[in-house]
């Protein structure tokens, strides 16, 4: 390879790190990905957690953002083995009477589902969201673009009338409870929206939670809520295969101890065993505290202080099950859904969220649950199924608190799926501490890699016109802790890589 070929080291082999690597390699850079763990993927992994033949997604599981990603869509990942599979119903919210409002790919079908609970609820949802579904490409440019989202924002403003623009701006700031009150008469529809909003960490009465729930459902209408056939790890396999096609390399069991700088510029990294690897750019798929650990001696003090103030969301407790049959949901819609929001009424959900915010472990926790085998039978032996559920926690908790909460979690499953416990063949529990140990970016199991409270959503991880630049030349942050945040879409890694490419061009011209 020519000596003029720029070299890059990517620290961290999660989906953002791999996206950064593919972006750089696609522009002719010599790229090496260094991963501390024994396998690539970060929070995108699949393993036989319970019993042989049952393939569970260890951390993240459902991928509307990946299907919508403008980054993944530009690469030939299908040729490298990635195939998304869709359940008949994207998501359902079972209620105690055996019914369930449901999110369908079709806006008309979702309207019909919601209208079954409150007169006009579905119609008002379709009227409010229809214009945004029709302009989803422009909306995607805002929500899944690098920061600042100027191009996507301009495109969206051009396509929406003034009234629509003002309504969208209002949607960005309001709580999910406000949007639910505006649109719905039934408690069932309100609870349905709350469930989608709680894929983030902002509660239904918190500013900014409306856009979290609405956008997730909009992705359901636009691209569905699919998962990779065979397991989440197939997405990572496709990224790695594409990277190697482009000439990039990966190394596991290669923990980076520090970023090496010279003359105020990052010039490489040093591994824990003392090995040094030179680079023209270093892109880190780390949370801000991880970046401070490896580069604290070279980062500007003002930036370092801001990184250390970065806040994480609540903890996460996750349980995976091997089942002797499908989850016996009482609601027929739930039996066809890949994702289930388990929590009952809107008031009950709000109460569970408030208890976590107060540092309590809810007696009736709200759960995000699902079963990939509803749409993908390759993940379990014939006639068997996998299932998962997770709930937020107020921090790490003791072993006793975790054990008690697992029992409460399973009681919630049994409540809406009578007979569930009798179908359990095996169980695997990950406490908040376990999740962090497996993926250090997820502090206490915070699946968003940093709180998505309104004040930290846009200016993430710090207020800056280029949050991917660190203040040290040649050093970049490209993780889920940077804009646009959590979910699996590769945007932050891609944006950090683009910043490195731009800076090198400017440097060469200068």
């Amino acid at each position: 390879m020519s000596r003029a070929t720029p070299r890059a080291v990517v620290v961290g082999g999660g989906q953002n790190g791999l996206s950064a690597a593919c972006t750089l390699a696609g522009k002719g850079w010599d790229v090496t990905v260094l991963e501390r763990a024994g396998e690539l993927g970060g929070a995108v992994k699949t393993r036989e957690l319970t019993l042989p033949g049952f393939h569970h997604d260890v951390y993240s599981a459902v991928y509307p953002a990946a299907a919508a990603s403008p980054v993944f869509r530009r690469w030939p990942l299908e040729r490298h083995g990635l195939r998304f599979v869709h359940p008949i119903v994207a998501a359902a919210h079972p209620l105690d009477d055996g019914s369930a409002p449901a999110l369908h790919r079709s806006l008309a079908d979702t309207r019909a589902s919601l209208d079954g609970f409150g007169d006009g609820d579905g119609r008002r949802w379709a009227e409010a969201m229809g214009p945004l579904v029709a302009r989803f490409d422009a909306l995607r440019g805002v929500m899944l673009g690098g920061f600042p989202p100027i191009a996507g924002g301009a495109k969206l403003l051009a396509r929406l009338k003034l009234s629509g623009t003002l309504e969208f701006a209002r949607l960005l700031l309001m709580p999910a409870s406000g949007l639910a009150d505006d649109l719905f008469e039934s408690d069932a529809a309100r609870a349905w929206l709350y469930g989608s909003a709680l894929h983030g960490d902002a509660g239904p009465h918190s500013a900014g939670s409306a856009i979290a729930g609405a956008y997730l459902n909009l992705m359901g209408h636009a691209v569905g809520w699919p998962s990779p056939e065979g397991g989440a790890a197939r997405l990572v396999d496709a990224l790695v295969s594409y990277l190697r096609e482009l000439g990039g390399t990966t190394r596991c069991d290669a923990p980076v101890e520090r970023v090496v700088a010279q003359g105020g510029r990052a010039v490489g990294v040093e591994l824990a065993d003392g090995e040094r690897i030179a680079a023209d750019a270093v892109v880190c798929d780390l949370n801000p505290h991880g970046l401070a650990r490896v580069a604290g001696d070279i980062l500007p003090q003002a930036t370092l202080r801001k990184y250390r103030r970065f806040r994480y969301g609540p903890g996460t407790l996750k349980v995976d099950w091997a089942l002797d049959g499908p989850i016996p949901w009482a609601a027929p819609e739930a039996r066809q859904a890949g994702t289930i929001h388990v929590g009952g009424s809107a008031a009950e959900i709000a109460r569970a969220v408030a208890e976590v915010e107060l540092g309590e472990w809810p007696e009736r926790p709200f759960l995000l649950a699902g079963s990939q085998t509803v749409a993908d039978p390759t993940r379990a032996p014939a006639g068997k199924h996998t299932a998962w559920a997770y709930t937020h926690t107020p921090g790490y908790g003791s072993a006793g608190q975790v054990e008690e909460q697992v029992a409460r979690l399973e009681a919630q499953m049994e409540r809406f799926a009578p007979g569930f416990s009798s179908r359990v063949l095996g169980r695997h529990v990950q406490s908040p501490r376990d999740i962090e140990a497996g993926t250090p970016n997820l502090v206490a199991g915070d699946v968003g890699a940093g709180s998505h409270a309104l004040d930290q959503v846009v200016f993430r991880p710090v207020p800056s016109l280029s949050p991917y630049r660190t203040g040290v030349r040649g050093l970049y942050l490209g993780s889920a802790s940077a804009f646009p945040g959590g979910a699996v879409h590769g945007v932050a890694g891609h944006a950090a890589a683009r910043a490195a490419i731009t800076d090198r061009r400017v440097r060469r011209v200068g």
Side-chain angles (χ1 to χ4, degrees):
M1 192 169 287
S2 169
R3 290 180 61 187
T5 299
R7 299 165 297 177
V9 166
V10 177
V11 181
Q15 48 95 14
N16 272 302
L18 292 170
S19 295
C22 289
T23 302
L24 290 160
K27 293 297 183 180
W29 287 54
D30 179 4
V31 182
T32 300
V33 178
L34 301 174
E35 169 57 45
R36 61 174 286 278
E39 61 181 317
L40 298 165
V44 184
K45 290 186 173 76
T46 304
R47 294 178 187 152
E48 293 180 326
L49 296 175
T50 55
L51 296 170
F54 290 83
H55 300 277
H56 305 272
D57 292 338
V58 183
Y59 307 106
S60 58
V62 183
Y63 292 99
S69 171
V71 175
F72 296 159
R73 289 164 66 91
R74 72 181 64 203
W75 295 331
L77 299 184
E78 288 187 1
R79 178 162 56 80
H80 289 270
L82 177 64
R83 177 175 177 264
F84 285 116
V85 290
H86 295 257
I88 294 173
V89 176
H93 189 108
L95 302 170
D96 286 305
D97 64 1
S99 64
L103 171 68
H104 295 264
R105 180 84 176 265
S106 161
L107 188 59
D109 288 344
T110 303
R111 170 179 175 168
S113 176
L114 296 178
D115 275 339
F117 293 90
D119 185 27
D121 282 359
R123 173 181 57 79
R124 286 185 291 274
W125 172 260
E127 288 174 351
M129 299 299 145
L132 292 173
V133 173
R135 296 161 178 81
F136 184 75
D137 282 346
L139 178 63
R140 171 170 35 204
V142 175
M143 304 299 292
L144 288 180
F147 191 85
I150 294 174
K155 188 176 181 181
L156 184 62
L157 291 175
R159 294 188 178 184
L160 289 175
K161 295 180 180 178
L162 177 60
S163 60
T165 300
L166 293 175
E167 281 301 308
F168 181 70
R170 180 169 171 263
L171 181 64
L172 289 172
L173 300 174
M174 70 190 310
S177 58
L179 180 61
D181 288 344
D182 282 356
L183 296 179
F184 304 134
E185 292 186 356
S186 69
D187 184 80
R190 291 189 183 93
W192 171 83
L193 183 62
Y194 284 15
S196 296
L198 287 176
H199 282 250
D201 67 286
H205 296 297
S206 298
S209 59
I211 188 61
Y215 180 65
L216 193 59
N217 287 344
L218 283 167
M219 283 196 290
H221 294 317
V223 300
W225 282 20
S227 294
E229 183 178 43
R234 300 292 82 76
L235 172 59
V236 169
D237 293 344
L239 288 169
V240 171
S241 178
Y242 179 53
L243 174 62
R244 289 173 178 163
E245 179 182 282
L246 295 171
T249 60
T250 63
R251 288 177 57 181
C252 293
D253 297 311
V256 171
E257 188 68 21
R258 69 186 186 97
V259 176
V260 178
Q262 182 177 321
R265 178 178 183 84
V267 295
V269 298
E270 182 177 303
L271 304 187
D273 63 3
E275 178 187 358
R276 287 196 175 189
I277 301 174
D280 298 291
V282 177
V283 179
C284 294
D285 183 3
L286 302 171
N287 65 35
H289 292 82
L291 181 59
R293 180 184 63 80
V294 299
D297 59 336
I298 63 172
L299 286 167
Q301 286 302 305
T303 301
L304 192 58
R305 285 193 296 270
K306 291 176 183 177
Y307 282 164
R308 287 172 173 163
R309 289 198 297 265
F310 185 77
R311 306 191 319 279
Y312 297 94
T316 301
L317 168 64
K318 183 173 183 282
V319 183
D320 288 275
W321 298 277
L323 302 179
D324 197 30
I327 302 174
W329 300 109
E333 297 85 355
R335 296 176 208 149
Q336 298 180 309
T339 303
I340 312 294
H341 301 150
V342 181
S345 69
E348 191 176 355
I349 295 169
R351 185 184 312 116
V353 172
E355 288 171 344
V356 172
E357 291 174 346
L358 291 171
E360 301 172 6
W361 294 67
E363 290 189 17
R364 283 191 164 186
F366 172 78
L367 318 177
L368 293 174
S371 174
Q372 270 67 48
T373 44
V374 167
D376 183 6
T378 69
R379 296 187 182 222
K384 311 300 182 185
H385 283 262
T386 62
W388 58 272
Y390 76 76
T391 187
H392 287 317
T393 68
Y396 296 97
S398 66
Q401 286 173 317
V402 168
E403 183 179 358
E404 182 178 23
Q405 203 66 7
V406 169
R408 291 171 174 173
L409 186 153
E410 293 189 329
Q412 285 284 70
M413 294 292 290
E414 187 73 24
R415 171 184 168 189
F416 295 100
F420 170 80
S421 59
S422 67
R423 296 195 178 181
V424 174
L425 301 173
R427 175 192 296 105
H428 180 269
V429 176
Q430 290 184 92
S431 70
R433 202 174 300 278
D434 294 331
I435 293 174
E436 180 181 332
T439 306
N441 274 359
L442 308 184
V443 174
D446 170 15
V447 294
S451 173
H452 286 77
L454 184 59
D455 66 325
Q456 196 171 268
V457 169
V458 178
F459 297 110
R460 181 180 178 92
V462 297
S464 171
L465 288 177
S466 181
Y468 317 105
R469 294 180 171 91
T470 65
V472 175
R473 288 178 298 156
L475 177 62
Y476 305 88
L477 177 65
S479 72
S481 297
F483 186 88
V488 177
H489 44 64
V491 173
H494 172 73
R498 292 297 306 168
I501 292 166
T502 298
D503 289 351
R504 178 169 175 79
R505 286 175 179 166
V506 170
R507 182 184 173 201
R508 291 179 67 183
V509 170

